[in-house]
Amino acid sequence: MRTFVAGQEAHGDTEFAELALGIDIDLFRGPLTFETDEERAAREDAARDVLADLAAEAEAGDEIAGWDALYADALTRTVPFLRSARDHRAETGEAA
């Protein structure tokens, strides 16, 4: 079965959520793959700008932007499981 959001086909749950909410999950949560310090800083700057825009729209009365801002802000507080596990393994290997 095919799923379409705003005329675009969603391939999987994550893409469906991104299309439906208009939020790029990797922008706020971070990618599941390695990123350099420079890439991370650029991504976090962009995420802060988008979050500030959503918050401003919410204050102007856009309820959907308010919910999107809450969701995006919550994503910034998460750590992808794979990255967390990789970092934990690297730390425990050197401690021995």
Side-chain angles (χ1 to χ4, degrees), residues 4-6 8 10 13-23 64 68:
F4 289 88
V5 177
Q8 295 184 341
D13 294 340
T14 301
E15 190 172 346
F16 177 80
E18 288 177 5
L19 289 172
L21 297 173
I23 299 290
I64 301 300
D68 286 348

Side-chain angles (χ1 to χ4, degrees), residues 54-70:
L54 288 171
E57 291 173 19
E59 288 178 16
D62 186 342
E63 184 178 348
I64 301 300
W67 286 109
D68 286 348
L70 289 172

Side-chain angles (χ1 to χ4, degrees), residues 68-79:
D68 286 348
L70 289 172
Y71 177 62
D73 186 52
L75 285 172
T76 65
R77 301 176 201 298
T78 63
V79 176

Side-chain angles (χ1 to χ4, degrees), residues 22-72:
I23 299 290
D24 179 357
I25 294 171
D26 284 345
L27 177 64
F28 294 96
R29 177 201 60 199
L32 296 177
T33 59
F34 175 79
E35 66 181 345
T36 65
D37 291 338
E38 294 83 19
E39 290 170 333
R40 182 173 27 263
R43 178 184 53 76
E44 289 174 349
D45 284 344
R48 275 191 292 276
D49 290 344
V50 170
L51 192 53
D53 289 345
L54 288 171
E57 291 173 19
E59 288 178 16
D62 186 342
E63 184 178 348
I64 301 300
W67 286 109
D68 286 348
L70 289 172
Y71 177 62

